[in-house]
Amino acid sequence: MMPEFTEELIDRLTRYCAIDSQSDASSPSRPSTAIQLDMQRLLVEELTGIGAQDVTLTDYGTVLATIPGTDPGPTIGFLAHVDTAPQFNASGVKPRVIRGYNGGTITYPDAPDLSLTPDDFPYLGEKLGHDIITASGTTLLGADDKAGVAILMTAARHLLANPDHPRPTLRLAFTPDEEIGRGVDPRLPADLGADFAYTFDGGRVGEVEYETFSADLAMVTITGVSIHPGFATGKLVSAIQLAAKLLQTLPQATMTPDTTAGRDGFIHATDMEGDAAEMRLTFILRDFERDGLAAKGALLKQLCTGIAASEPRATITCQITPQYRNMRYWLEDDMTPVTLAHDAARAIGIEPVSIPIRGGTDGSRLTEMGVPCPNLFTGMQNIHGPLEWISAQDMARATELCLSLTRQALK
Ligand SMILES: [Zn+2]
């Protein structure tokens, strides 16, 4: 029988969520915001307090620690990210706990128009009697990924207090800047020193994710011919009009985020800026397969070439750079980390579910860099917005999964 972790998880999550540690994609510094170090310094203090070894805050802003093993086995890394999403207000988070959820509508003290209902979010309807944690209506909660942090800190505290709980050597990593895709420093794989790892950054109970998108970034620059509009007849070449033409020519009914699902990838215009003289367009290209991703890049380039050919006075460049790759490419060579997670879940009565993620995780980069790293559930729901919520009992299941993994790894 597993011990009861719910109260410790509620305490940790509410304390961690109240600390603003939002990341900022526009900042060139590392970590992107200094406030993330407030979380990191607290974790250093708490890890030291519970007796973790080798507690370090690296100069790239990651907190590392060791939980010594009781038996020989693979060294397993466990990761969670301390930053919260830049997409929504994250300052002044006031977490509150709804004890013994009764299945009704959840309202918000700071936003009377807002409500959370099981009709809109059926997973909430499965959580009768659970302790539900939300924010107050004007901010996100930040369970993404303070839940992962709380789960790992609770598991670590339990293991360090119970030296008989069998486990191999474990390494913990709390990373900054995951939400802006900068969570994995090139030095992290060596500093982590794990044979394989897991992020606790997933949603509903049972999720064991080992397939992510493969991702490229495309920058299109369109240079027209700028001239005073009063003297423009037959001379002006508007970069804005060419940009509009490019967007219009892309397959908008079959290959955008809003028109695709499941295993289909997309081309998504995320940003456009400039003027009649020059326009810069940013696209993200996503697909689960290398071929599909390459085809999307080729299509974009081909359309740019076509538009350039229709207006020889304009210059159009299309620069494609890799972002991350589907972790399945590496995991299918050695499925040990996935099999272990599946076995560890079943050992505590949870049926694992592995669905491809239409996004990436810190684990995608880490896997590519040689540390296979599937993603495990925490319970977090409706992330990156004011309706974000999590069940403390779901987090307790994730904590149990972490402990089950450490046992299972010795078998
Ligand atoms: Zn996350």
Side-chain angles (χ1 to χ4, degrees), residues 59 133 149 153 177 187 266 298 337 371:
D59 58 9
I133 301 146
V149 177
M153 289 299 291
D177 291 335
R187 290 163 283 185
F266 55 73
V371 187

Side-chain angles (χ1 to χ4, degrees), residues 94-175:
K94 290 186 279 179
R96 48 95 188 241
V97 185
I98 297 156
R99 298 274 176 181
Y101 174 58
N102 64 7
T105 298
I106 293 177
T107 55
Y108 291 82
D110 296 341
D113 294 340
L114 208 60
S115 66
L116 178 67
T117 69
D119 284 348
D120 293 337
F121 304 100
Y123 188 66
L124 181 62
E126 297 173 24
K127 303 299 160 188
L128 284 182
H130 284 216
D131 301 316
I132 304 295
I133 301 146
T134 76
S136 62
T138 51
T139 67
L140 51 68
L141 173 62
D144 178 12
D145 185 27
K146 303 284 173 66
V149 177
I151 287 160
L152 289 179
M153 289 299 291
T154 301
R157 200 270 316 141
H158 176 80
L159 289 171
L160 289 161
N162 293 278
D164 318 338
H165 180 112
R167 74 254 183 173
T169 299
L170 309 176
R171 289 281 283 157
L172 300 177
F174 298 103
T175 55

Side-chain angles (χ1 to χ4, degrees), residues 81 144-145 178-179 201 380 383-384:
H81 64 90
D144 178 12
D145 185 27
E178 190 272 351
E179 296 288 356
D201 197 14
M380 66 172 85
I383 57 173
H384 300 189

Side-chain angles (χ1 to χ4, degrees), residues 67-82:
I67 298 169
T70 57
D71 293 277
T75 299
I76 304 178
F78 288 114
L79 289 87
H81 64 90
V82 299

